[in-house]
Amino acid sequence: MRTVGIVIFDNVEVLDLCGPFEVFSVARADGDDGDEQPLFEVLTIAERHAVVRCVGGLQVQPQAVLADHPPLDVLLVPGGIGTRKLLGNQKLLQWIAGQHRTTEITASVCTGALLLAEAGLLDGRRVTTHWSVTDWMRSRYTQVEVLENTRFVDEGKILTSAGISAGIDMSLYLVSRLHGPQVARWTARRMEYDHWPAQTAS
Amino acid sequence: MRTVGIVIFDNVEVLDLCGPFEVFSVARADGDDGDEQPLFEVLTIAERHAVVRCVGGLQVQPQAVLADHPPLDVLLVPGGIGTRKLLGNQKLLQWIAGQHRTTEITASVCTGALLLAEAGLLDGRRVTTHWSVTDWMRSRYTQVEVLENTRFVDEGKILTSAGISAGIDMSLYLVSRLHGPQVARWTARRMEYDHWPAQTAS
């Protein structure tokens, strides 16, 4: 079983966080409709043991903190307007860079890509982000190739997705990459995310 | 501005709750990309002032409780395996029935339909739910017409959606019904939920 750590912070976008949380926590072997054998453990991780206020007011109590969490196989960095305040947060950025040295996969949703860029992980790579920050990201991170109209980009160890709901598609793709398309299709079926089979067939 | 209340409880499914939360909290007038003029206030409401443990382990601190919350224009009941324990919870069921007397819209996602049925709100209506409980729901609530392969059903004051991710589609549809298709399309654009324009065009 792999451990997925999702960083959370004040003004994180709700679906950036919860779309991937849902996908990874629902993923099961093809045809397994039980709860006993999850393929991933999913953890929210914050700087402090305090409730995080997401965009719109959802309140999430983190399950772990930067200074104390199990080893992560997958690190996922969501976006939201709260990312802007974190661009100078060296403690968080160094934690991200440090985790990336040992993760199997490091991924961002939406403007979470800004944090990966700021942590120095995106130079020389093709990435995507929310449409509203594409130009700004290009001007700030000149060594990063920011793609538009792209649901997600797989650069091997690093994946980035477009805005908000695109994190669901990237996560299902990751389930497919790690466990095969049948497991991803079954996971999408459990979620009734019926767009997915058409996408994998293309 | 309308107030949307989302009931939460132990083992609520993450995306059942967070998909609609995202849609309603991101909805803005067409072209408005700011945060100042939301169209909906969204509140999570639980029985007690205590952290709710969702399916997969996400921990949500409710913003209000059954005994103390503002008047609700929209009541939304999500699903998840935790609904099974609530089928005999008269306090909650009576609260749902009581809220329904004054809401503009009462809606369920996934197996949240079981709670609306148990509260007596679905008799004589066409509804939908998660595919895994269709047969069970038909046998238990013989006065309810349970539809399959249906993303959501609009019965006027009551709406029900299929499983998990279908709550996003139902919520965007509700934004469209309440504020027009342009506002719904703009909301979907903000979320990069690019499936939506195709659905509204059909």
Side-chain angles (χ1 to χ4, degrees):
Chain A
M1 187 166 74
R2 286 177 174 89
T3 300
V4 179
I6 304 180
V7 187
I8 61 172
F9 43 84
D10 283 340
N11 283 313
V12 61
E13 189 76 33
V14 167
L15 195 59
D16 286 23
L17 146 69
C18 293
F21 195 108
E22 176 71 35
V23 171
F24 290 113
S25 60
V26 162
R28 294 290 183 284
D30 189 19
D32 176 3
D33 202 22
D35 288 325
E36 295 73 29
Q37 298 190 292
L39 300 175
F40 301 90
E41 179 185 23
V42 192
L43 290 174
T44 52
I45 307 177
E47 279 199 74
R48 286 172 294 279
H49 284 292
V51 166
V52 166
R53 187 193 181 282
C54 307
V55 170
L58 186 75
Q59 299 182 125
V60 177
Q61 175 73 46
Q63 295 159 262
V65 290
L66 302 189
D68 185 17
H69 61 83
L72 304 182
D73 301 293
V74 179
L75 168 63
L76 195 137
V77 182
I81 193 70
T83 54
R84 311 304 188 276
K85 276 200 180 172
L86 299 174
L87 297 181
N89 183 327
Q90 291 306 320
K91 180 182 168 190
L92 178 65
L93 297 173
Q94 287 173 17
W95 178 84
I96 289 173
Q99 291 304 309
H100 179 64
R101 284 194 281 276
T102 54
T103 57
E104 180 178 2
I105 288 158
T106 300
S108 65
V109 178
C110 196
T111 52
L114 301 176
L115 300 181
L116 296 193
E118 206 67 39
L121 306 185
L122 300 187
D123 285 353
R125 296 183 190 272
R126 298 176 316 138
V127 308
T128 195
T129 184
H130 193 272
W131 55 267
S132 64
V133 299
T134 302
D135 289 344
W136 186 78
M137 197 171 168
R138 283 174 176 157
S139 66
R140 185 176 173 103
Y141 309 106
T142 55
Q143 304 305 308
V144 181
E145 185 182 350
V146 186
L147 306 182
E148 291 176 281
N149 301 313
T150 304
R151 201 76 181 146
F152 55 84
V153 180
D154 178 356
E155 286 268 280
K157 182 163 168 168
I158 290 203
L159 285 90
T160 53
S161 89
I164 307 182
S165 66
I168 298 173
D169 299 289
M170 180 183 71
S171 299
L172 283 166
Y173 168 80
L174 264 175
V175 171
S176 178
R177 203 182 99 176
L178 297 170
H179 291 281
Q182 282 298 109
V183 172
R185 272 193 284 270
W186 173 243
T187 301
R189 173 76 178 128
R190 294 191 84 199
M191 293 172 59
E192 299 214 41
Y193 195 63
D194 301 328
H195 318 291
W196 180 249
Q199 290 180 325
T200 49
S202 70
Chain B
M1 186 165 77
R2 287 176 173 87
T3 300
V4 179
I6 304 180
V7 187
I8 61 172
F9 43 84
D10 283 340
N11 282 314
V12 60
E13 189 76 32
V14 167
L15 195 59
D16 286 23
L17 145 67
C18 293
F21 195 108
E22 176 72 35
V23 171
F24 289 113
S25 61
V26 162
R28 294 290 183 284
D30 189 19
D32 177 4
D33 202 21
D35 289 326
E36 295 73 29
Q37 298 191 292
L39 300 174
F40 301 91
E41 180 185 23
V42 192
L43 290 174
T44 53
I45 307 177
E47 281 199 74
R48 286 172 295 278
H49 284 292
V51 166
V52 166
R53 189 195 180 281
C54 308
V55 170
L58 186 74
Q59 300 182 121
V60 178
Q61 174 72 45
Q63 296 158 260
V65 290
L66 302 188
D68 185 18
H69 61 83
L72 304 181
D73 301 293
V74 178
L75 168 63
L76 196 137
V77 182
I81 194 70
T83 55
R84 312 302 188 276
K85 276 200 178 170
L86 299 174
L87 297 180
N89 183 326
Q90 291 306 318
K91 180 182 169 191
L92 177 65
L93 298 173
Q94 287 173 16
W95 178 85
I96 290 172
Q99 291 303 310
H100 179 64
R101 283 194 282 276
T102 54
T103 55
E104 181 179 1
I105 288 158
T106 300
S108 65
V109 178
C110 198
T111 52
L114 301 175
L115 299 180
L116 298 192
E118 207 66 39
L121 306 186
L122 299 187
D123 286 353
R125 297 183 189 271
R126 299 175 315 137
V127 309
T128 194
T129 185
H130 193 272
W131 56 265
S132 64
V133 298
T134 301
D135 289 344
W136 186 77
M137 197 172 168
R138 283 174 177 156
S139 66
R140 185 174 173 106
Y141 309 107
T142 55
Q143 303 305 307
V144 181
E145 184 182 351
V146 185
L147 306 182
E148 290 175 283
N149 301 316
T150 304
R151 202 75 182 146
F152 55 84
V153 180
D154 179 357
E155 285 270 278
K157 182 164 168 168
I158 291 201
L159 286 91
T160 53
S161 88
I164 308 185
S165 66
I168 298 174
D169 299 290
M170 180 182 72
S171 299
L172 283 167
Y173 168 80
L174 263 175
V175 171
S176 178
R177 202 181 100 176
L178 297 171
H179 291 281
Q182 283 297 110
V183 172
R185 272 193 284 268
W186 174 243
T187 301
R189 174 75 178 128
R190 295 192 84 198
M191 294 172 58
E192 299 215 41
Y193 195 64
D194 301 328
H195 318 292
W196 180 249
Q199 290 180 326
T200 50
S202 70

